[in-house]
């Protein structure tokens, strides 16, 4: 019997919002496979949950490249990075997406909203 390799994902979230949000919504959506996690099966793992490092998104490059060693398949940008009407607008969103894509990792925009 051949073992299926797990899909490995990470969640990148806003450093500013992380001061007020423990990430419960992101994990709840993942655990229940709802919202932006609907397409994943039970063989999917969250292997990382980290902040961007603050404006300019300085931490993303380093961490995504470290996570490549662990065979990261996709990086979800948390809903807090995308909801301009609820949270501060991320001024570095395009740079962060490009950094992840340039590392060969799929970008998924959203987690639970």
């Amino acid at each position: 019997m051949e073992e299926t390799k797990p899909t490995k994902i990470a969640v990148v979230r806003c450093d500013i919002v992380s001061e007020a949000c423990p990430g419960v919504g992101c994990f709840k959506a993942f655990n229940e496979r709802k919202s932006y996690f609907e397409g994943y099966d039970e063989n999917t793992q969250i292997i990382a949950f980290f902040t961007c490092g603050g404006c300019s998104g300085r931490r993303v490059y380093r961490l995504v490249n470290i996570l490549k060693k662990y065979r990261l398949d996709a990086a979800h940008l948390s809903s807090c990075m995308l909801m301009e009407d609820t949270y501060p607008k991320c001024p570095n969103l395009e740079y962060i997406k490009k950094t992840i894509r340039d590392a060969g990792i799929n970008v998924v925009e959203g987690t639970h909203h």
Side-chain angles (χ1 to χ4, degrees), residues 74-88:
H76 279 253
L77 302 180
S78 63
S79 296
C80 60
M81 295 179 75
L82 305 165
M83 298 176 62
E84 296 178 29
D85 58 333
T86 306
Y87 300 106

Side-chain angles (χ1 to χ4, degrees), residues 2-3 39 43 49 63 68 70 75 89:
E2 189 176 316
E3 187 176 325
N43 203 27
F49 187 77
L63 293 181
K68 285 173 62 174
Y70 299 94
K89 180 179 179 181

Side-chain angles (χ1 to χ4, degrees), residues 8-23:
K8 297 180 179 183
I9 63 174
V11 174
V12 182
R13 62 197 204 126
C14 173
D15 194 66
I16 295 168
V17 176
S18 74
E19 294 177 15
C21 175

